[in-house]
Amino acid sequence: MTASGSITTSPPPSLVSLSTVLSLLFSLAILFAAILLSRHLLPRSSPRKYLILHTWHLFDFLIHTIFEGSYLYHSFFSYTTVPPASLSSDYPHPASLASSSRAIFLGHTDRRYGAAHSSSPTALLWQEYARADTRWANTDTNIISIELLTVLIAGPLACYICYLLQRQPLARSTNTDDNAAKLWFSIIVLATGEIYGGFMTFAPEWLSGNTSLSTGNWMYLWLYLVFFNGIWVVVPGWCLWVAWGEVKRAFAKRGESEKLGGKKTRKYPLKDPFLGLDFFLEAGKIFSENRYLPELEARYGTYGSTFQTNLFGTPSINTIEPENLQAVYSSNFKDWGIEPLRLPAQDPFCGRGFITTDGAAAEYSRALLKPGFNRANIVAGLAGLGKALEKMMGKILDDRGTYLGTSTEFLFGESFGALSNFSSEDSQAFTSAFDNAMFGSGFQIALGPFKFLYQNAKWREVCKTTHLFADKYVQKALKCRQSVISDSSFDRKTDQDESKSGSNSQPLLYHLALQTSNSLTLRNEILQAFMAAQGTTAALLSNVFFLLARNPSVWAKLREEVLALGNEEPDFDRLLHMKYLQNILKE
């Protein structure tokens, strides 16, 4: 750098200086920060493509904001005051200013702007890069114009793309296209702009003989100019290629939807169309007033059997249309994942299992559970059902709330006393902690992309309580596994062999332990099984009793079918052939 502040193209005495090392380390630090933040912000189940895209755009945002933002700062606020007479002799005018003696940057005839006129750390960084391209140390209006668009538009757009990528798994689980359209359109715009910006940065130099570029030095040429600038050509090009594939798939998907008679859903009217805060507050109010079901019925009556809502920016389809339900839960089940929606919120509570995963992971979980639902276990469980039912009916007659507590004996091998007047302090603490953990998980699912705002130490504590309680039974099951496997006469019976005996009923956790010795897997699966037994089954039975009490004709017909058994016990086969009972439960 000369005394007047301009940058020369000759290499410094030391090719790799301290500024060189620090600049490269700073760039690497930003890259690693983008990688770590992307792994933290995206669900673990996100496709690798999304992780790469998120990492790149987060890195892009940080570079544009920190590096190039500092360049603009020095271009407008870092300067040296000089006598006006010296400007014509040594001021390095860019081409756009040199043609007019009155064309002075920002109208100041006594100032020279740029990173060359500052000694701050970011200015030293640009002085280092200016060894390869002198335009970045002084005021070049072409570069400054491009950087204004880059910092003020491209940077925020890259950040917005990261936000859309974080929402995309949630949007996929509801099969809505709005988020995907915004995502890929934004990626296409940004990638095209960055490739165009790169061309406009170097085209003036190529056309004028590379007067500002140091092409005679291998490090400046290949590392600073080719590599660092080439990244913003190659990666945006890859982004365009990925976006093109998504656009083609979207058109193909739209064609398939039209063939199947798909229609555009009606949108629920919101005062806040961006985050749907009014919908969230309204939902909290009707829940607190126990008006959820009547309100839901009224909404379907007003907006039809299928309508779309927006909860914290996440589009959601609400439907009671039978064909839609059949597609989601049966015929097109694989197209409607639950993992992106449930796992990020429930992972600290119950981990990966049959309720929180999709694909191969869910199939593996169901394979673990299947032996525990063999015919022998179900038949043996029926024996104690009568006594449990008598206790439950007694509590209903006493007008005290309860649920059918036989599930804990089936799952863990011990009843927690839910149907008696006594239950241990441990089981009471567990059930209370479990309920609170369920509530916290559900609240985070409702928060969607803003679930990181739910920083509740008490929720973490109740999750830990459920883990400690479940781990005691897991260790018991693993001890049983070890004793069974060490038995030289041990032979894993098939479901058919066990069904013949009709005995040897074992808890579900025992059967899980025979399939795997991974204690974390056992804990996750048994907690999710308890979730299904406590929530889904209890809700089903409660709803059946509620509706039967209000439909005496249905109750009378069901009673006729049961009384037809006479004194015979309702065993496994007889229950399967009680068609009216089966239809009531299914409906």
Side-chain angles (χ1 to χ4, degrees):
M1 186 165 59
T2 66
S4 63
S6 61
I7 302 297
T8 64
T9 58
S10 59
S14 175
L15 183 64
V16 181
S17 64
L18 178 61
S19 297
T20 306
V21 175
L22 292 178
S23 299
L24 295 176
L25 289 177
F26 193 33
S27 301
L28 288 174
I30 291 180
L31 175 60
F32 282 118
I35 294 173
L36 294 176
L37 281 172
S38 296
R39 290 185 176 275
H40 175 72
L41 294 173
L42 283 181
R44 289 191 302 176
S45 58
S46 298
R48 182 181 297 274
K49 173 178 62 179
Y50 286 179
L51 180 61
I52 296 173
L53 286 169
H54 192 282
T55 301
W56 162 250
H57 286 96
L58 184 55
F59 176 71
D60 196 34
F61 164 71
L62 294 173
I63 289 292
H64 291 334
T65 304
I66 299 173
F67 276 21
E68 293 165 270
S70 70
Y71 168 78
L72 283 183
Y73 174 83
H74 292 301
S75 296
F76 286 95
F77 299 104
S78 296
Y79 60 88
T80 300
T81 303
V82 296
S86 66
L87 289 174
S88 60
S89 61
D90 60 6
Y91 183 62
H93 281 293
S96 59
L97 299 182
S99 61
S100 173
S101 60
R102 293 180 300 174
I104 302 300
F105 186 65
L106 298 182
H108 293 285
T109 60
D110 60 340
R111 294 180 182 179
R112 299 176 186 175
Y113 287 87
H117 308 290
S118 174
S119 58
S120 68
T122 53
L124 295 177
L125 182 149
W126 286 111
Q127 291 172 21
E128 172 65 27
Y129 183 75
R131 294 178 178 180
D133 188 343
T134 59
R135 296 174 298 169
W136 294 87
N138 293 291
T139 49
D140 184 282
T141 52
N142 179 60
I143 297 294
I144 291 174
S145 299
I146 293 172
E147 289 304 313
L148 283 170
L149 295 175
T150 301
V151 174
L152 299 180
I153 297 179
L157 184 57
C159 186
Y160 178 64
I161 290 171
C162 290
Y163 165 72
L164 292 175
L165 282 165
Q166 290 166 222
R167 284 182 53 196
Q168 184 64 5
L170 296 176
R172 287 182 64 201
S173 66
T174 56
N175 207 32
T176 56
D177 297 329
D178 289 350
N179 191 83
K182 295 175 184 176
L183 171 64
W184 299 113
F185 175 77
S186 300
I187 288 177
I188 290 171
V189 169
L190 181 59
T192 304
E194 290 188 323
I195 293 174
Y196 177 77
F199 176 81
M200 290 304 298
T201 298
F202 289 99
E205 279 299 301
W206 298 334
L207 296 174
S208 60
N210 295 333
T211 57
S212 300
L213 305 182
S214 178
T215 57
N217 183 288
W218 69 267
M219 188 177 78
Y220 298 157
L221 174 61
W222 294 107
L223 181 61
Y224 286 9
L225 297 177
V226 175
F227 177 73
F228 282 127
N229 290 283
I231 291 175
W232 269 266
V233 175
V234 174
V235 180
W238 175 78
C239 291
L240 286 174
W241 178 74
V242 173
W244 167 243
E246 292 293 332
V247 170
K248 286 197 301 182
R249 278 189 286 272
F251 276 102
K253 182 180 177 182
R254 177 60 60 87
E256 293 177 3
S257 176
E258 292 176 353
K259 290 179 181 178
L260 295 173
K263 299 178 182 178
K264 190 173 182 179
T265 57
R266 184 177 180 181
K267 290 188 177 182
Y268 183 84
L270 296 170
K271 297 178 181 178
D272 174 17
F274 301 103
L275 297 178
L277 291 177
D278 55 316
F279 183 78
F280 177 77
L281 295 175
E282 184 182 4
K285 182 180 179 181
I286 63 175
F287 267 114
S288 64
E289 297 174 354
N290 295 319
R291 296 190 295 109
Y292 178 70
L293 290 179
E295 179 66 24
L296 194 61
E297 183 180 10
R299 286 176 183 172
Y300 282 118
T302 303
Y303 303 108
S305 59
T306 302
F307 60 90
Q308 180 177 318
T309 56
N310 180 2
L311 186 59
F312 287 108
T314 301
S316 178
I317 301 297
N318 301 262
T319 184
I320 54 174
E321 186 67 39
E323 291 184 8
N324 291 339
L325 296 174
Q326 183 180 7
V328 172
Y329 292 110
S330 179
S331 58
N332 297 89
F333 176 75
K334 292 183 178 180
D335 296 335
W336 301 80
I338 58 173
E339 182 172 331
L341 181 68
R342 294 180 179 177
L343 185 58
Q346 294 185 279
D347 193 17
F349 169 38
C350 57
R352 302 178 67 85
F354 71 99
I355 285 180
T356 57
T357 57
D358 296 324
E363 291 177 4
Y364 172 73
S365 293
R366 293 186 177 92
L368 291 178
L369 292 166
K370 186 176 179 180
F373 289 92
N374 62 68
R375 185 187 179 100
N377 251 18
I378 297 175
V379 170
L382 292 175
L385 192 61
K387 294 180 179 179
L389 184 61
E390 290 177 4
K391 291 181 180 179
M392 188 191 75
M393 295 303 294
K395 285 185 174 288
I396 291 177
L397 294 175
D398 290 341
D399 198 24
R400 288 178 290 177
T402 185
Y403 65 90
L404 195 57
T406 54
S407 60
T408 57
E409 188 167 359
F410 174 75
L411 298 174
F412 296 95
E414 294 182 13
S415 175
F416 294 171
L419 294 176
S420 64
N421 295 323
F422 171 78
S423 61
S424 68
E425 291 184 3
D426 284 348
S427 63
Q428 288 180 350
F430 168 71
T431 52
S432 176
F434 191 91
D435 290 341
N436 289 325
M438 283 275 289
F439 175 81
S441 298
F443 191 72
Q444 290 181 77
I445 291 175
L447 288 175
F450 297 97
K451 64 181 179 297
F452 64 89
L453 296 175
Y454 187 79
Q455 300 296 328
N456 192 326
K458 183 179 178 181
W459 181 71
R460 297 278 179 179
E461 188 63 30
V462 296
C463 289
K464 184 178 179 181
T465 300
T466 61
H467 295 167
L468 293 174
F469 185 85
D471 285 343
K472 292 190 299 183
Y473 290 92
V474 167
Q475 293 305 315
K476 288 182 181 179
L478 289 175
K479 287 182 180 179
C480 291
R481 166 193 168 91
Q482 191 59 39
S483 62
V484 170
I485 292 179
S486 62
D487 186 353
S488 59
S489 63
F490 170 68
D491 180 22
R492 296 194 181 193
K493 297 181 179 181
T494 63
D495 289 352
Q496 291 78 11
D497 293 334
E498 290 180 345
S499 66
K500 293 176 182 178
S501 63
S503 58
N504 297 325
S505 174
Q506 297 291 348
L508 179 65
L509 188 53
Y510 169 87
H511 290 279
L512 287 171
L514 290 182
Q515 311 301 314
T516 178
S517 60
N518 188 310
S519 58
L520 181 60
T521 298
L522 292 173
R523 182 221 286 169
N524 292 341
E525 298 294 353
I526 202 63
L527 285 177
Q528 293 194 22
F530 185 66
M531 185 189 305
Q534 187 196 38
T536 307
T537 306
L540 169 65
L541 293 177
S542 298
N543 199 36
V544 167
F545 296 147
F546 178 86
L547 293 174
L548 285 176
R550 285 154 180 78
N551 293 273
S553 60
V554 176
W555 163 255
K557 188 171 181 179
L558 175 63
R559 191 166 184 269
E560 287 180 12
E561 185 179 55
V562 174
L563 291 176
L565 294 175
N567 295 325
E568 297 178 353
E569 290 290 334
D571 59 16
F572 187 86
D573 291 321
R574 293 189 181 93
L575 286 173
L576 287 180
H577 288 87
M578 296 178 69
K579 297 299 182 183
Y580 198 68
L581 172 62
Q582 294 289 331
N583 290 336
I584 287 176
L585 294 175
K586 290 177 181 178
E587 185 178 348

